Amino acid sequence: MADTAQAQELVYLVTGGCGFLGEHVVRMLLQREPRLHELRVFDLHLGPWLEELQTGTQNVIDACVQTGTQFLVYTSSMEVVGPNIKGHPFYRGNEDTPYEAVHKHPYPRSKALAEQLVLEANGRKVRGGRPLVTCALRPTGIYGEGHQIMRDIYYQGQRLGGRLFRAIPASVEHGRVYVGNVAWMHVLVARELQQRGALMGGQAYFCYDRSPYKSYEDFNMEILGPCGLRLVGTRPLLPYWLLMFLAVLNALLQWLLRPLLLYAPLLNPYTLAMANTTFTVSTDKAQRHFGYEPLFSWEDSRTRTIGWVRAMDGSAP
């Protein structure tokens, strides 16, 4: 997301503005940015491959330089850090916590390289001679209205008679963050970057709120439980080796079917490693640098998401 200020009025370009987070950022700008003069939304459905995303990010940076756009906020991901495929836990870490990032899947590799491009571009001269000011936001696992994976899990549970079967140990914790708070952080960063560029420029920030730390499945049940689903089992129903076998089989099928159709299973070796590795964040860097506080409480975030799930099949609120 890039912005430029002219006579106290702001023009925003939101790239990926038709996606899950992008739509929430657009709504947040319309609701919370009183100096908004013009909002431009751009979305191009690129493939997931590394070269395409890296080239696209470089094109955005070059466009900022050529047009004199001074501020660039990049939506990164916690996955530029981890969890790594070795299963090393990241427990209550922050932006400075040492952690071995091991990227073999195209998505985290591409996000990590794109983030590096954006942060290294900080200070580059744009048209008119001013310095480009950049920063990156790293959401943990985003949830909320419109979340496709939660939608898929909900429908899967319905097909299984209102049941979901535990696959991940309850002791594995994950950080989650409500999409409205991620959108709010984007708006706040873009606003404060103009005044605090010397402090914020070239920095990366985790996106966080007060959502509870739980396993991925137990957290989902905070939302899906009130919608009629129940989680079966206190321990994983299937052993890890069997889940890995199924994950590898899914990956093989995806590769074989790629020329004919898009097969995107929820379970693959990368998602299995992610789900089985603790990754939780405890940081106040965003609060210290630009005054971030979550706009939505955990209770409000949960209520909004439950309402969205219930509305998907016309269930009573």
Side-chain angles (χ1 to χ4, degrees), residues 191-217:
R191 180 186 299 165
E192 295 298 322
L193 206 57
Q194 301 167 66
Q195 305 299 325
R196 307 187 190 190
L199 173 64
M200 297 169 60
Q203 295 291 322
Y205 300 92
F206 280 120
C207 299
Y208 57 89
D209 57 18
R210 297 183 178 90
S211 301
Y213 299 123
K214 293 192 172 189
S215 76
Y216 196 84
E217 292 170 328

mmCIF file of all heavy atoms in Angstrom, residues 191-217:
data_model
loop_
_atom_site.group_PDB
_atom_site.id
_atom_site.type_symbol
_atom_site.label_atom_id
_atom_site.label_comp_id
_atom_site.label_asym_id
_atom_site.label_seq_id
_atom_site.Cartn_x
_atom_site.Cartn_y
_atom_site.Cartn_z
ATOM 1 N N ARG A 191 -0.560 6.522 8.044
ATOM 2 C CA ARG A 191 -0.765 7.869 8.566
ATOM 3 C C ARG A 191 0.478 8.359 9.318
ATOM 4 O O ARG A 191 0.956 9.486 9.105
ATOM 5 C CB ARG A 191 -1.977 7.864 9.496
ATOM 6 C CG ARG A 191 -2.306 9.209 10.117
ATOM 7 C CD ARG A 191 -3.435 9.053 11.133
ATOM 8 N NE ARG A 191 -4.654 8.549 10.502
ATOM 9 C CZ ARG A 191 -5.675 8.052 11.179
ATOM 10 N NH1 ARG A 191 -5.633 7.961 12.505
ATOM 11 N NH2 ARG A 191 -6.755 7.627 10.539
ATOM 12 N N GLU A 192 1.004 7.519 10.198
ATOM 13 C CA GLU A 192 2.110 7.934 11.056
ATOM 14 C C GLU A 192 3.455 7.915 10.341
ATOM 15 O O GLU A 192 4.402 8.571 10.776
ATOM 16 C CB GLU A 192 2.167 7.022 12.288
ATOM 17 C CG GLU A 192 0.949 7.129 13.196
ATOM 18 C CD GLU A 192 0.779 8.524 13.771
ATOM 19 O OE1 GLU A 192 1.805 9.156 14.110
ATOM 20 O OE2 GLU A 192 -0.374 8.980 13.871
ATOM 21 N N LEU A 193 3.567 7.178 9.256
ATOM 22 C CA LEU A 193 4.824 7.096 8.530
ATOM 23 C C LEU A 193 5.272 8.463 8.025
ATOM 24 O O LEU A 193 6.465 8.727 7.888
ATOM 25 C CB LEU A 193 4.664 6.124 7.355
ATOM 26 C CG LEU A 193 5.911 5.408 6.823
ATOM 27 C CD1 LEU A 193 6.609 4.621 7.912
ATOM 28 C CD2 LEU A 193 5.524 4.478 5.671
ATOM 29 N N GLN A 194 4.312 9.334 7.783
ATOM 30 C CA GLN A 194 4.645 10.676 7.284
ATOM 31 C C GLN A 194 5.366 11.514 8.344
ATOM 32 O O GLN A 194 6.206 12.350 8.008
ATOM 33 C CB GLN A 194 3.365 11.380 6.847
ATOM 34 C CG GLN A 194 2.603 10.640 5.759
ATOM 35 C CD GLN A 194 1.218 11.206 5.585
ATOM 36 O OE1 GLN A 194 1.053 12.342 5.173
ATOM 37 N NE2 GLN A 194 0.204 10.410 5.912
ATOM 38 N N GLN A 195 5.018 11.300 9.608
ATOM 39 C CA GLN A 195 5.605 12.090 10.683
ATOM 40 C C GLN A 195 6.780 11.384 11.361
ATOM 41 O O GLN A 195 7.631 12.047 11.955
ATOM 42 C CB GLN A 195 4.524 12.395 11.741
ATOM 43 C CG GLN A 195 3.281 13.069 11.181
ATOM 44 C CD GLN A 195 3.586 14.410 10.549
ATOM 45 O OE1 GLN A 195 4.460 15.151 11.010
ATOM 46 N NE2 GLN A 195 2.872 14.742 9.474
ATOM 47 N N ARG A 196 6.823 10.060 11.286
ATOM 48 C CA ARG A 196 7.823 9.301 12.031
ATOM 49 C C ARG A 196 8.682 8.442 11.109
ATOM 50 O O ARG A 196 9.119 7.362 11.486
ATOM 51 C CB ARG A 196 7.136 8.408 13.067
ATOM 52 C CG ARG A 196 6.176 9.161 13.986
ATOM 53 C CD ARG A 196 5.644 8.276 15.093
ATOM 54 N NE ARG A 196 4.565 8.900 15.822
ATOM 55 C CZ ARG A 196 4.045 8.435 16.958
ATOM 56 N NH1 ARG A 196 4.538 7.339 17.497
ATOM 57 N NH2 ARG A 196 3.046 9.058 17.555
ATOM 58 N N GLY A 197 8.907 8.923 9.902
ATOM 59 C CA GLY A 197 9.655 8.157 8.922
ATOM 60 C C GLY A 197 11.051 7.801 9.383
ATOM 61 O O GLY A 197 11.563 6.712 9.083
ATOM 62 N N ALA A 198 11.699 8.687 10.149
ATOM 63 C CA ALA A 198 13.058 8.411 10.607
ATOM 64 C C ALA A 198 13.090 7.214 11.550
ATOM 65 O O ALA A 198 14.067 6.447 11.572
ATOM 66 C CB ALA A 198 13.627 9.644 11.306
ATOM 67 N N LEU A 199 12.019 7.034 12.328
ATOM 68 C CA LEU A 199 11.943 5.920 13.264
ATOM 69 C C LEU A 199 11.409 4.656 12.592
ATOM 70 O O LEU A 199 11.938 3.562 12.795
ATOM 71 C CB LEU A 199 11.046 6.294 14.444
ATOM 72 C CG LEU A 199 10.717 5.186 15.453
ATOM 73 C CD1 LEU A 199 11.994 4.729 16.163
ATOM 74 C CD2 LEU A 199 9.675 5.668 16.460
ATOM 75 N N MET A 200 10.363 4.806 11.765
ATOM 76 C CA MET A 200 9.647 3.658 11.228
ATOM 77 C C MET A 200 10.208 3.158 9.910
ATOM 78 O O MET A 200 9.978 1.997 9.535
ATOM 79 C CB MET A 200 8.165 4.020 11.057
ATOM 80 C CG MET A 200 7.459 4.358 12.358
ATOM 81 S SD MET A 200 5.815 5.087 12.094
ATOM 82 C CE MET A 200 4.993 3.770 11.191
ATOM 83 N N GLY A 201 10.917 3.998 9.180
ATOM 84 C CA GLY A 201 11.412 3.610 7.870
ATOM 85 C C GLY A 201 12.356 2.419 7.931
ATOM 86 O O GLY A 201 13.267 2.379 8.757
ATOM 87 N N GLY A 202 12.122 1.435 7.066
ATOM 88 C CA GLY A 202 12.963 0.250 7.014
ATOM 89 C C GLY A 202 12.680 -0.765 8.103
ATOM 90 O O GLY A 202 13.429 -1.735 8.266
ATOM 91 N N GLN A 203 11.574 -0.598 8.844
ATOM 92 C CA GLN A 203 11.250 -1.475 9.966
ATOM 93 C C GLN A 203 10.169 -2.490 9.580
ATOM 94 O O GLN A 203 9.338 -2.238 8.719
ATOM 95 C CB GLN A 203 10.754 -0.651 11.155
ATOM 96 C CG GLN A 203 11.789 0.279 11.747
ATOM 97 C CD GLN A 203 12.895 -0.462 12.454
ATOM 98 O OE1 GLN A 203 12.668 -1.475 13.107
ATOM 99 N NE2 GLN A 203 14.116 0.044 12.321
ATOM 100 N N ALA A 204 10.183 -3.631 10.265
ATOM 101 C CA ALA A 204 9.130 -4.639 10.146
ATOM 102 C C ALA A 204 8.407 -4.746 11.482
ATOM 103 O O ALA A 204 9.035 -4.654 12.548
ATOM 104 C CB ALA A 204 9.712 -5.985 9.757
ATOM 105 N N TYR A 205 7.081 -4.923 11.421
ATOM 106 C CA TYR A 205 6.254 -4.990 12.623
ATOM 107 C C TYR A 205 5.323 -6.195 12.546
ATOM 108 O O TYR A 205 4.643 -6.391 11.532
ATOM 109 C CB TYR A 205 5.393 -3.723 12.764
ATOM 110 C CG TYR A 205 6.174 -2.443 12.856
ATOM 111 C CD1 TYR A 205 6.465 -1.703 11.699
ATOM 112 C CD2 TYR A 205 6.618 -1.950 14.076
ATOM 113 C CE1 TYR A 205 7.185 -0.518 11.772
ATOM 114 C CE2 TYR A 205 7.335 -0.767 14.155
ATOM 115 C CZ TYR A 205 7.616 -0.061 13.002
ATOM 116 O OH TYR A 205 8.328 1.124 13.074
ATOM 117 N N PHE A 206 5.272 -6.985 13.616
ATOM 118 C CA PHE A 206 4.252 -8.012 13.711
ATOM 119 C C PHE A 206 2.893 -7.346 13.944
ATOM 120 O O PHE A 206 2.791 -6.351 14.666
ATOM 121 C CB PHE A 206 4.534 -8.970 14.872
ATOM 122 C CG PHE A 206 5.570 -10.017 14.567
ATOM 123 C CD1 PHE A 206 6.726 -10.094 15.313
ATOM 124 C CD2 PHE A 206 5.369 -10.936 13.546
ATOM 125 C CE1 PHE A 206 7.685 -11.060 15.045
ATOM 126 C CE2 PHE A 206 6.315 -11.906 13.266
ATOM 127 C CZ PHE A 206 7.479 -11.968 14.011
ATOM 128 N N CYS A 207 1.853 -7.896 13.325
ATOM 129 C CA CYS A 207 0.476 -7.463 13.589
ATOM 130 C C CYS A 207 -0.097 -8.389 14.667
ATOM 131 O O CYS A 207 -0.070 -9.614 14.510
ATOM 132 C CB CYS A 207 -0.380 -7.549 12.333
ATOM 133 S SG CYS A 207 0.187 -6.515 10.968
ATOM 134 N N TYR A 208 -0.648 -7.803 15.706
ATOM 135 C CA TYR A 208 -1.103 -8.587 16.849
ATOM 136 C C TYR A 208 -2.302 -7.906 17.476
ATOM 137 O O TYR A 208 -2.590 -6.729 17.231
ATOM 138 C CB TYR A 208 0.023 -8.722 17.882
ATOM 139 C CG TYR A 208 0.553 -7.380 18.368
ATOM 140 C CD1 TYR A 208 -0.015 -6.727 19.469
ATOM 141 C CD2 TYR A 208 1.604 -6.743 17.706
ATOM 142 C CE1 TYR A 208 0.459 -5.494 19.897
ATOM 143 C CE2 TYR A 208 2.085 -5.520 18.127
ATOM 144 C CZ TYR A 208 1.516 -4.895 19.216
ATOM 145 O OH TYR A 208 1.980 -3.670 19.621
ATOM 146 N N ASP A 209 -3.020 -8.652 18.295
ATOM 147 C CA ASP A 209 -4.072 -8.078 19.129
ATOM 148 C C ASP A 209 -4.197 -8.966 20.363
ATOM 149 O O ASP A 209 -3.215 -9.617 20.750
ATOM 150 C CB ASP A 209 -5.396 -7.915 18.358
ATOM 151 C CG ASP A 209 -5.928 -9.208 17.764
ATOM 152 O OD1 ASP A 209 -5.495 -10.297 18.202
ATOM 153 O OD2 ASP A 209 -6.779 -9.138 16.858
ATOM 154 N N ARG A 210 -5.367 -9.002 20.981
ATOM 155 C CA ARG A 210 -5.505 -9.752 22.232
ATOM 156 C C ARG A 210 -6.252 -11.071 22.038
ATOM 157 O O ARG A 210 -6.832 -11.617 22.980
ATOM 158 C CB ARG A 210 -6.191 -8.881 23.284
ATOM 159 C CG ARG A 210 -5.348 -7.659 23.632
ATOM 160 C CD ARG A 210 -5.953 -6.802 24.729
ATOM 161 N NE ARG A 210 -5.071 -5.667 25.036
ATOM 162 C CZ ARG A 210 -5.147 -4.494 24.434
ATOM 163 N NH1 ARG A 210 -6.071 -4.270 23.495
ATOM 164 N NH2 ARG A 210 -4.303 -3.518 24.744
ATOM 165 N N SER A 211 -6.237 -11.585 20.826
ATOM 166 C CA SER A 211 -6.807 -12.911 20.590
ATOM 167 C C SER A 211 -5.993 -13.953 21.351
ATOM 168 O O SER A 211 -4.765 -13.841 21.448
ATOM 169 C CB SER A 211 -6.788 -13.239 19.094
ATOM 170 O OG SER A 211 -7.539 -12.279 18.361
ATOM 171 N N PRO A 212 -6.643 -14.977 21.923
ATOM 172 C CA PRO A 212 -5.925 -15.917 22.796
ATOM 173 C C PRO A 212 -4.984 -16.830 22.021
ATOM 174 O O PRO A 212 -5.212 -17.140 20.848
ATOM 175 C CB PRO A 212 -7.059 -16.724 23.435
ATOM 176 C CG PRO A 212 -8.195 -16.638 22.461
ATOM 177 C CD PRO A 212 -8.092 -15.270 21.845
ATOM 178 N N TYR A 213 -3.915 -17.248 22.685
ATOM 179 C CA TYR A 213 -3.000 -18.241 22.127
ATOM 180 C C TYR A 213 -3.586 -19.633 22.349
ATOM 181 O O TYR A 213 -3.803 -20.050 23.485
ATOM 182 C CB TYR A 213 -1.632 -18.162 22.800
ATOM 183 C CG TYR A 213 -0.921 -16.852 22.635
ATOM 184 C CD1 TYR A 213 -0.510 -16.122 23.747
ATOM 185 C CD2 TYR A 213 -0.648 -16.348 21.366
ATOM 186 C CE1 TYR A 213 0.161 -14.926 23.597
ATOM 187 C CE2 TYR A 213 0.017 -15.148 21.207
ATOM 188 C CZ TYR A 213 0.424 -14.440 22.319
ATOM 189 O OH TYR A 213 1.075 -13.245 22.173
ATOM 190 N N LYS A 214 -3.833 -20.333 21.260
ATOM 191 C CA LYS A 214 -4.346 -21.702 21.334
ATOM 192 C C LYS A 214 -3.835 -22.464 20.128
ATOM 193 O O LYS A 214 -3.264 -21.872 19.204
ATOM 194 C CB LYS A 214 -5.886 -21.719 21.349
ATOM 195 C CG LYS A 214 -6.524 -21.128 22.595
ATOM 196 C CD LYS A 214 -8.002 -21.457 22.646
ATOM 197 C CE LYS A 214 -8.603 -21.039 23.998
ATOM 198 N NZ LYS A 214 -9.985 -21.532 24.154
ATOM 199 N N SER A 215 -4.055 -23.783 20.129
ATOM 200 C CA SER A 215 -3.755 -24.523 18.917
ATOM 201 C C SER A 215 -4.680 -24.028 17.804
ATOM 202 O O SER A 215 -5.735 -23.437 18.062
ATOM 203 C CB SER A 215 -3.961 -26.024 19.135
ATOM 204 O OG SER A 215 -5.348 -26.347 19.130
ATOM 205 N N TYR A 216 -4.265 -24.271 16.580
ATOM 206 C CA TYR A 216 -5.051 -23.794 15.443
ATOM 207 C C TYR A 216 -6.487 -24.314 15.521
ATOM 208 O O TYR A 216 -7.449 -23.568 15.313
ATOM 209 C CB TYR A 216 -4.381 -24.256 14.146
ATOM 210 C CG TYR A 216 -4.859 -23.521 12.922
ATOM 211 C CD1 TYR A 216 -4.310 -22.298 12.566
ATOM 212 C CD2 TYR A 216 -5.866 -24.046 12.117
ATOM 213 C CE1 TYR A 216 -4.751 -21.609 11.441
ATOM 214 C CE2 TYR A 216 -6.311 -23.367 10.993
ATOM 215 C CZ TYR A 216 -5.745 -22.163 10.659
ATOM 216 O OH TYR A 216 -6.192 -21.481 9.554
ATOM 217 N N GLU A 217 -6.637 -25.603 15.847
ATOM 218 C CA GLU A 217 -7.973 -26.203 15.893
ATOM 219 C C GLU A 217 -8.783 -25.680 17.070
ATOM 220 O O GLU A 217 -9.982 -25.383 16.924
ATOM 221 C CB GLU A 217 -7.842 -27.717 15.973
ATOM 222 C CG GLU A 217 -7.276 -28.331 14.707
ATOM 223 C CD GLU A 217 -6.935 -29.803 14.878
ATOM 224 O OE1 GLU A 217 -6.549 -30.205 16.006
ATOM 225 O OE2 GLU A 217 -7.040 -30.537 13.895
#
